[in-house]
Amino acid sequence: MASPFTEVEVPSTSSGQASLRTVKVTNPDRVYFPEIGATKLDLVEYYLSVGDGIVNALYERPCMLHRFPKGLTGEPGEKVHQKRLPAGAPDWVETVELLFPRWKRTADELCVTELASVIWAVQMSTVEFHPWNSRRGATEQPDEWRIDLDPGPASTYDDVRRAAHVVHEVLDGLGAVGYPKTSGSKGLHVYVRIAPDRDHKGVRRCALAFAREVERRAPGLVTTAWWKKDRDPAAIFVDYNQNARDHTIAAAYSVRGVPDARVSTPIRWDEVDEADPRDFTINTVPARFAEIGDLHHDIDDHVFDLSVLATWADRDEPAVDER
C-alpha cells in the first residue's frame, strides 16, 4: 500500500521568475515529537512560517542534516547524521562537493538556495540543519565566526546569560556586531560576519584569542580548557573549536531534536536576561517571526576584520596548537 501523502506548494524565485515548487510530503501525520504531539506536517509548516529566516541562515552553505526517519522515538540510532545529500533529490535541489581528507573521498552536501530545498529535506525526515561557516564559493574561507557558549554540567542558564554579557562587552570594544541566538538546547550562540580572507585554522586561532579574553574578564565563570577533565563543571566553555573545518552547529531557526521541538532562535541583546530557551518552540516561534521578522537579516551588512584578534593570538602564544 502506498504511503499517505500531501503536496505542499512552496514559493520559488528560480531564474529570477516567481513560481511555485510542489513538494510531496509522505506520512504527514507521523508524530515526530511525541511530547507535544507534533507531526511531520507540523514541522513542514513551521519551516514554511520562518522561510526567509532559515534560508538566510543556510544560504549557499554546505549543510549537514540531522535526520529522524521515524521521529523522536527514544530508541538508539533514531538520529542519522548525514553529510551526503539523500538519494532521490529533485534536479532543482542544489549541492556543493566537499573533500573530506580523513575519509579520502568527497561528498555532495545540500546547499540551500531556496525554501523548497529546506522543505524537501524535511520530507526526507530532516529535523536539524547544521551549516558550515563558509559558503560554496569559498568553502575553505569562512565568512562567519561562531561563538558557542556551552554550559558545564553544574552551570545554570543564568551563568550562560552572564557569560553572554561579557562576550557582548568584548565585541563592543572591538567594534564587532554580534548576533545572538539560543542554541535550542542549553547554551547560547553569537555569530559575527567576517571577511572570507582566512582559512578555518586562522579563524579558529582568532576565536581562541577572543575566548581567552572573555575568560580573563570572567575568571571562574568562563573557561577555555579544551579537555573536559580540566574544566570546572560550573564554568561556561567558550567552544572556539566550532570554527574548525567541518564543525557545524544548528542554524538560526533550526528545530532541534529534543522532545519539546525547541528552536535555535535569534534574540536581541536586550532579551538575553529574560529569554528562556524553553519558550522558543515550533509552536511559538512562528508568531514571533511574523511579528518581528528575522533578527539576523542584516548580518551581511556588518563585516568584522579579524586582524586585531590575530594580534591577540600572537600576543598570547606564537602558535596555537592544532588539536
Side-chain angles (χ1 to χ4, degrees):
M1 180 181 295
S3 299
F5 71 91
T6 188
E7 292 185 334
V8 177
E9 292 190 333
V10 187
S12 172
T13 54
S14 177
S15 303
Q17 300 291 323
S19 61
L20 293 173
R21 303 272 194 209
T22 299
V23 180
K24 181 178 178 179
V25 178
T26 58
N27 298 307
D29 295 329
R30 174 174 286 164
V31 176
Y32 266 48
F33 299 92
E35 183 174 296
I36 62 172
T39 66
K40 184 178 185 179
L41 186 58
D42 291 329
L43 190 61
V44 166
E45 291 175 344
Y46 161 75
Y47 277 115
L48 289 171
S49 75
V50 297
D52 290 345
I54 189 66
V55 171
N56 185 44
L58 299 177
Y59 192 73
E60 292 200 338
R61 299 187 184 281
C63 189
M64 184 170 74
L65 309 176
H66 288 196
R67 299 174 57 234
F68 291 76
K70 295 184 179 180
L72 277 73
T73 63
E75 299 174 0
E78 67 177 2
K79 178 163 67 171
V80 178
H81 292 215
Q82 186 144 357
K83 295 180 185 292
R84 295 184 183 280
L85 187 75
D91 58 9
W92 44 262
V93 173
E94 299 190 37
T95 62
V96 59
E97 184 182 67
L98 299 172
L99 172 65
F100 294 93
R102 183 182 302 177
W103 299 351
K104 297 181 180 179
R105 60 189 181 192
T106 61
D108 292 326
E109 289 198 7
L110 175 67
C111 194
V112 168
T113 57
E114 59 176 304
L115 181 56
S117 296
V118 174
I119 303 307
W120 178 82
V122 176
Q123 150 58 18
M124 299 303 292
S125 72
T126 299
V127 171
E128 302 188 23
F129 293 85
H130 287 239
W132 279 39
N133 62 345
S134 57
R135 301 186 196 258
R136 65 177 174 182
T139 58
E140 304 307 316
Q141 285 79 45
D143 72 337
E144 194 162 79
W145 161 31
R146 296 171 175 177
I147 304 165
D148 179 11
L149 301 182
D150 184 11
S155 301
T156 68
Y157 197 70
D158 280 339
D159 295 327
V160 174
R161 292 181 173 112
R162 290 166 56 208
H165 288 306
V166 180
V167 166
H168 192 195
E169 174 187 286
V170 179
L171 288 175
D172 276 355
L174 289 167
V177 180
Y179 288 76
K181 68 182 182 72
T182 64
S183 70
S185 183
K186 299 177 181 178
L188 189 143
H189 303 150
V190 182
Y191 287 0
V192 180
R193 185 63 76 243
I194 56 175
D197 54 10
R198 287 176 167 77
D199 63 13
H200 288 90
K201 289 181 180 179
V203 173
R204 175 185 178 275
R205 187 169 186 264
C206 292
L208 174 55
F210 177 87
R212 285 174 168 159
E213 180 61 24
V214 174
E215 184 180 31
R216 289 187 191 98
R217 299 195 191 191
L221 173 65
V222 167
T223 182
T224 60
W226 175 247
W227 300 109
K228 288 184 178 180
K229 64 181 178 61
D230 296 330
R231 297 179 204 160
D232 180 341
I236 306 299
F237 176 48
V238 183
D239 190 355
Y240 54 89
N241 214 47
Q242 295 292 6
N243 296 279
R245 189 182 191 274
D246 193 29
H247 282 232
T248 61
I249 51 181
Y253 302 105
S254 175
V255 180
R256 303 305 305 272
V258 293
D260 58 357
R262 214 171 291 183
V263 173
S264 181
T265 307
I267 59 174
R268 297 183 298 266
W269 282 110
D270 62 9
E271 293 182 291
V272 167
D273 286 337
E274 300 298 329
D276 187 323
R278 295 170 295 185
D279 292 338
F280 301 116
T281 72
I282 64 171
N283 290 330
T284 62
V285 171
R288 173 182 170 87
F289 190 88
E291 179 181 355
I292 66 175
D294 177 14
L295 293 181
H296 288 191
H297 74 280
D298 64 344
I299 189 171
D300 289 335
D301 297 335
H302 300 279
V303 179
F304 176 66
D305 184 349
L306 288 176
S307 296
V308 64
L309 292 183
T311 65
W312 287 10
D314 292 338
R315 173 199 65 194
D316 290 344
E317 56 183 52
V320 176
D321 61 317
E322 299 301 333
R323 299 186 180 91

